[in-house]
Amino acid sequence: MPLPKPPTKRASRLDSDAYATDLSPSKRPPALEARPSAPLATSRAEPAPRAEARAELPAPATSPTGTTTPSSSASPRAEPVEARGGQSPSLALVSPAPSKVPAKKSAPARSKARKPVGDPKLFVLDTNVLMHDPMSLFRFEEHDIYLPMITLEELDGHKKGMTEVARNVRQVSRDLDALATSLKSSTIEEMSKGLPLDQTGHRAAGGKLFFQTTLFETPLPQGLPQGKADNQILGVVQALKQQQPGREVVLVSKDINMRIKARALGLPAEDYRNDKTLDDSDLLYTGVQALPADFWERHGKTMESWQQGGTTFYRISGPLVPTLLVNQLVYLEAPGAAPLYAKVQEITGKTAVLRTLKDYGHQKHSVWGVASRNREQNFALNLLMDPDCDFVTLTGSAGTGKTLMTLAAGLSQVLDERRYSEIIVTRVTVPVGEDIGFLPGTEEEKMGPWMGALDDNLEVLGRGDGAAGEWGRAATNDLVRSKIKIKSLNFMRGRTFLNKYVIIDEAQNLTPKQMKTLITRAGPGTKIVCLGNLAQIDTPYLTEGSSGLTFAVDKFKGWAHSGHVTLARGERSRLADFASEVL
């Protein structure tokens, strides 16, 4: 096919609606002829055919029914070419035949564009999602948010009080008010167009917020009561799905039964997953890594070693360095060779410095009479006794020694080394079973029943000195009690701990927001230790992936002043170890 003559004048810009012209094989104009040898993308040295095609683009004709039909000429499009001679089909640029219609005759009419592949979804939020995360409105990226009127009514009923839920509801109300006031006019027509979610500074939210401005008359099945709030939200989702059949409408709820009912009605429903740090708890950072068996053979030639203050340092380089993190604990146990227990001191470029650890398993190195019984406990004691490690997290099943080691390290550094002034212990007051009701007394007396684990471990630690006699043990217990303060989590807002050793017990029941509140209380010279078992979460709507302890472990990994150890082996008793495995 001969090329058309070069243009004599500047081409006009191609309208974006011309790309939506239907060029299916059944409606393709006969003047178009496929060129199998033409490539998909033309080079920049051939602007003449493209310019002429844009200059001579005609207006598509409109049928009496209002749909737009393509004319005899169209813009260049890539069409599949039939395979010839057993070759695989390819794409070729379809060039329109030269037309006699002038370029400036009329603009193309607006045609009905095809639905793009990445069309934003419409998420209908349940009330419990906003109560759980007040920032959930701005965490759906380019997708749109729809709030039924019954959701606003339920938010209004939970805004009073001093609980965490009431504070979250009030925050949501303030955000909704800020979005509503950003509109030029508060008419129903303006509200129905949607409120841009990025108007209040949240640039990551590219969608819009829609309120329910009309009453839907979509009936639910007869088995569902019409007056219940959850069923009214299901009715709104069903009505939106019927009104917008070409768009995906999804219900987002933290209520499992709500999602089950939605799926039973054929409505898509999802859990709110933006609050989860990890999708699977098995991906959680353990803080411990085993070195390969050929570590000395592969790194011995380029390794540098030196001793300083009774500690040996190794500088290594190679493919192992990118897999390491600062303050990560590594070990190498090979039969017939001395074991290596070290901590990653620093990582500079392609080299890493390993620092050997102190052996707290020997009785002469015991901490307040407590010696480590396994490898992970030795790692934990090294982190707890390190003055440069300001934040330590210990996770593990029941009986692994988390509280005992933490308390022993705290008493040693408070009473013996005078590194900290006192120990502060706190925890979340979430009962396992039914609540026993009001507790009389002062703050510490109210927290007394929740600190049974502290009393048990203090009894073990105070039993060590048998030569002191009854009076000596009583005096020691009084001294230890005077250095330990039990505080409630409810009164931590605004406080600053100076030179304190803070223990947060049962940290798996904390939300990420509560964990942030506690960690930011640390002042100069303060060390915070978080203890918890992710398999024993008692707080509603919290899972292993959304717990504040998981949040802290994941965010602090690799920081030069934090450390984490997952304790795997129980040391409480053979009965407790067997029960944790089989029950």
Side-chain angles (χ1 to χ4, degrees), residues 108-391:
R110 185 173 298 276
S111 60
K112 185 177 181 181
R114 294 180 183 178
K115 176 186 175 183
V117 179
D119 195 17
K121 301 178 182 179
L122 182 62
F123 288 104
V124 182
L125 299 190
D126 195 4
T127 312
N128 48 43
V129 175
L130 300 173
M131 293 178 179
H132 177 72
D133 184 8
M135 302 301 295
S136 59
L137 288 171
F138 311 102
R139 294 183 176 175
F140 287 88
E141 297 179 349
E142 76 277 6
H143 304 289
D144 296 335
I145 306 298
Y146 190 93
L147 291 183
M149 194 59 65
I150 188 62
T151 298
L152 300 178
E153 288 291 333
E154 287 190 313
L155 288 176
D156 187 67
H158 291 84
K159 66 181 180 181
K160 296 181 180 179
M162 298 300 297
T163 61
E164 187 72 18
V165 172
R167 283 192 287 267
N168 291 344
V169 169
R170 290 194 291 268
Q171 179 64 39
V172 172
S173 300
R174 287 190 289 267
D175 291 337
L176 293 178
D177 180 66
L179 290 172
T181 54
S182 63
L183 292 178
K184 297 180 180 179
S185 61
S186 300
T187 60
I188 297 181
E189 292 78 9
E190 191 72 18
M191 296 284 287
S192 61
K193 296 179 182 178
L195 286 68
L197 290 170
D198 57 355
Q199 292 296 320
T200 56
H202 300 85
R203 299 303 179 187
K208 293 184 177 182
L209 173 65
F210 294 91
F211 291 101
Q212 181 182 356
T213 57
T214 58
L215 181 63
F216 298 122
E217 298 293 341
T218 304
L220 287 173
Q222 296 296 329
L224 295 178
Q226 301 295 326
K228 193 174 181 180
D230 291 352
N231 298 335
Q232 294 184 29
I233 296 177
L234 291 176
V236 171
V237 177
Q238 188 172 357
L240 290 174
K241 188 177 179 182
Q242 294 178 2
Q243 286 186 1
Q244 305 182 25
R247 191 177 190 184
E248 188 174 357
V249 181
V250 183
L251 171 66
V252 181
S253 176
K254 297 291 294 182
D255 190 354
I256 299 178
N257 293 330
M258 179 81 162
R259 299 198 300 266
I260 293 176
K261 287 195 296 184
R263 294 189 181 102
L265 296 175
L267 303 175
E270 295 179 1
D271 188 14
Y272 179 68
R273 299 190 297 268
N274 286 332
D275 62 332
K276 294 184 179 180
T277 307
L278 298 174
D279 294 333
D280 191 356
S281 61
D282 295 336
L283 303 176
L284 184 64
Y285 173 64
T286 61
V288 180
Q289 180 175 340
L291 296 175
D294 58 348
F295 171 75
W296 297 113
E297 289 78 4
R298 297 181 61 181
H299 299 82
K301 295 182 180 180
T302 60
M303 181 183 298
E304 302 177 13
S305 63
W306 67 93
Q307 288 188 350
Q308 182 179 352
T311 304
T312 305
F313 295 86
Y314 299 96
R315 187 185 303 276
I316 63 173
S317 60
L320 182 64
V321 175
T323 64
L324 300 177
L325 294 173
V326 178
N327 275 354
Q328 189 175 19
L329 301 157
V330 295
Y331 67 93
L332 176 61
E333 296 175 345
L340 172 65
Y341 303 107
K343 182 181 71 171
V344 181
Q345 186 73 15
E346 64 178 22
I347 297 178
T348 306
K350 297 181 179 180
T351 63
V353 177
L354 303 183
R355 174 186 177 183
T356 57
L357 300 178
K358 189 176 182 180
D359 183 16
Y360 287 101
H362 200 280
Q363 193 62 35
K364 68 176 182 179
H365 295 156
S366 62
V367 180
W368 200 260
V370 175
S372 61
R373 295 186 178 183
N374 53 56
R375 180 179 61 239
E376 285 76 16
Q377 286 189 355
N378 186 34
F379 289 162
L381 285 175
N382 274 275
L383 293 177
L384 292 172
M385 298 297 294
D386 190 357
D388 293 332
C389 200
D390 299 334
F391 183 73

Side-chain angles (χ1 to χ4, degrees), residues 31-81:
L32 299 182
E33 180 181 356
R35 294 187 297 166
S37 61
L40 177 60
T42 58
S43 62
R44 294 186 177 180
E46 299 175 354
R50 297 169 56 187
E52 182 172 346
R54 293 185 179 182
E56 297 179 355
L57 181 68
T62 305
S63 62
T65 58
T67 60
T68 304
T69 59
S71 60
S72 59
S73 299
S75 61
R77 294 178 59 90
E79 296 291 345
V81 180

